[in-house]
């Protein structure tokens, strides 16, 4: 309480002090894939939605330096890279032909002790197309709508909605009658990003984030803490 000149008692106004701090990631493994796996597994186990752990932003660029980004699904995590699947007639495939390098960004938003847990993983490096025998299991497991989409959609091309729907429905009818098997069309391809750089950013609540960058030199990964 503050007693003022004419005896009026006013409540003391305390300055508002915002929450702050500097977040620290305690356990940094030598191999960035180990850290990715642990964050990815945590995200997969704490959300019911498969997209929350597997959606990533893929950035590619043309030979004259125009950049474009889009969301893709991580189809498989290997010991040395990230596997994605797409239509090789698409803009991203054209850009990857011109410049076989890409950047991926994963955003994992979660909760820790009632506070928002924000994690970002960035991976940058060379991209190679995989031979089909290296990923046929992925295509076999695709849901029906994806297999039909692969047949009826020419990614990125103008489309007549009704024709697309009719095409979809006729394939679906054939599948239901058991008269066709949905083989992988040639234009469906998988690529793997082999990162040379991986970076992990993490914070909880209102704290300055911690960041660790890994750089690959041959088979060896070196890591260092960098400012948020
Ligand atoms: C959640 C989500 C997941 C997606 N997954 C894929 C995918 O795995 N492969 C793909 O080719 N497109 C996927 N897309 C569509 C792409 O974002 C994009 O529209 C499409 O690949 C065409 O990109 P491009 O024209 O830059 O090549 C997804 C979109 C969303 C919103």
């Amino acid at each position: 309480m503050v007693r003022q000149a004419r005896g009026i008692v006013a409540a003391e106004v305390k300055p508002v002090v915002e929450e702050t701090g500097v977040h620290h990631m305690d356990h940094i493994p030598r191999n960035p894939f180990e850290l990715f796996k642990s964050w990815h597994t945590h995200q997969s186990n704490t959300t019911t939605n498969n997209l929350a752990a597997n959606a990533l932003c893929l950035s590619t660029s043309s030979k004259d330096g125009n950049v474009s980004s889009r969301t893709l699904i991580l189809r498989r995590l290997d010991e040395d890279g990230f596997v994605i699947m797409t239509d090789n007639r698409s803009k991203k495939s054209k850009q990857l032909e011109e410049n076989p390098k890409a950047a991926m960004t994963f955003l994992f938003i979660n909760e820790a002790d009632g506070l928002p847990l924000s994690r970002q993983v960035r991976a940058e490096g060379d991209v190679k197309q995989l031979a089909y025998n290296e990923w046929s299991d992925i295509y076999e497991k695709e849901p029906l709508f994806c297999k039909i989409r692969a047949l009826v959609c020419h990614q990125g091309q103008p489309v007549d909605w009704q024709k697309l729907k009719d095409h979809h429905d006729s394939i679906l009818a054939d599948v239901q009658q058991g008269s066709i098997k949905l083989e992988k069309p040639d234009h469906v391809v998988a690529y793997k990003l082999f990162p040379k750089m991986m970076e992990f950013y993490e914070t909880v609540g209102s704290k300055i984030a911690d960041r660790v960058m890994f750089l690959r030199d041959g088979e060896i990964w070196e890591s260092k803490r960098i400012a948020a």
Side-chain angles (χ1 to χ4, degrees):
M1 296 292 215
V2 178
R3 196 160 290 279
Q4 295 187 331
R6 284 190 296 170
I8 300 166
V9 177
E12 190 177 356
V13 180
K14 287 194 177 148
V16 177
V17 180
E18 290 175 41
E19 290 278 313
T20 181
V22 182
H23 182 66
H24 186 260
M25 293 193 262
D26 293 334
H27 305 291
I28 310 295
R30 283 178 173 274
N31 186 322
F33 284 99
E34 217 178 288
L35 189 51
F36 183 87
K37 259 190 234 162
S38 110
W39 286 16
H40 182 255
T41 304
H42 178 258
Q43 189 71 13
S44 306
N45 293 344
T46 47
T47 52
T48 48
N49 186 339
N50 170 49
L51 289 179
N54 293 308
L56 62 96
C57 173
L58 176 80
S59 301
T60 52
S61 68
S62 65
K63 63 175 181 306
D64 45 8
N66 290 306
V67 182
S68 65
S69 299
R70 76 290 284 158
T71 309
L72 261 73
I73 296 295
L74 176 67
R75 304 291 169 156
R76 192 176 71 208
L77 176 65
D78 288 348
E79 294 301 312
D80 54 356
F82 301 90
V83 177
I84 52 175
M85 191 178 82
T86 193
D87 183 330
N88 76 353
R89 304 163 300 180
S90 63
K91 178 173 181 173
K92 72 183 87 52
S93 284
K94 185 167 186 304
Q95 292 197 335
L96 285 171
E97 268 164 38
E98 292 179 7
N99 176 19
K101 295 177 194 305
M104 282 181 179
T105 309
F106 293 83
L107 175 64
F108 299 143
I109 300 290
N110 221 303
E111 260 191 27
D113 302 326
L115 293 169
L117 166 66
S118 314
R119 286 172 163 169
Q120 173 183 258
V121 182
R122 297 166 60 181
E124 297 173 7
D126 297 328
V127 176
K128 289 188 184 138
Q129 191 178 321
L130 299 180
Y132 188 49
N133 62 11
E134 295 175 86
W135 64 282
S136 54
D137 56 319
I138 299 178
Y139 195 77
E140 291 306 317
K141 280 188 283 191
E142 280 287 280
L144 180 60
F145 82 93
C146 293
K147 287 186 173 168
I148 298 182
R149 183 185 57 208
L151 292 173
V152 302
C153 290
H154 185 150
Q155 201 171 67
Q157 291 305 301
V159 71
D160 178 316
W161 185 87
Q162 192 58 55
K163 280 190 185 154
L164 179 76
K165 166 95 170 65
D166 294 345
H167 195 181
H168 167 275
D169 293 351
S170 81
I171 293 179
L172 179 60
D174 289 344
V175 170
Q176 284 165 341
Q177 285 160 18
S179 55
I180 55 165
K181 186 171 180 298
L182 299 179
E183 303 289 352
K184 182 191 80 68
D186 289 345
H187 59 261
V188 176
V189 295
Y191 297 102
K192 179 149 130 185
L193 172 77
F194 295 85
K196 287 179 174 158
M197 190 288 296
M198 281 172 73
E199 190 225 286
F200 296 78
Y201 174 112
E202 180 184 81
T203 191
V204 178
S206 304
K207 285 187 173 175
I208 296 173
D210 197 6
R211 258 175 103 184
V212 173
M213 183 169 74
F214 290 80
L215 292 174
R216 181 163 59 81
D217 183 8
E219 296 301 305
I220 308 292
W221 284 100
E222 300 281 350
S223 70
K224 62 181 164 206
R225 196 156 244 123
I226 54 175

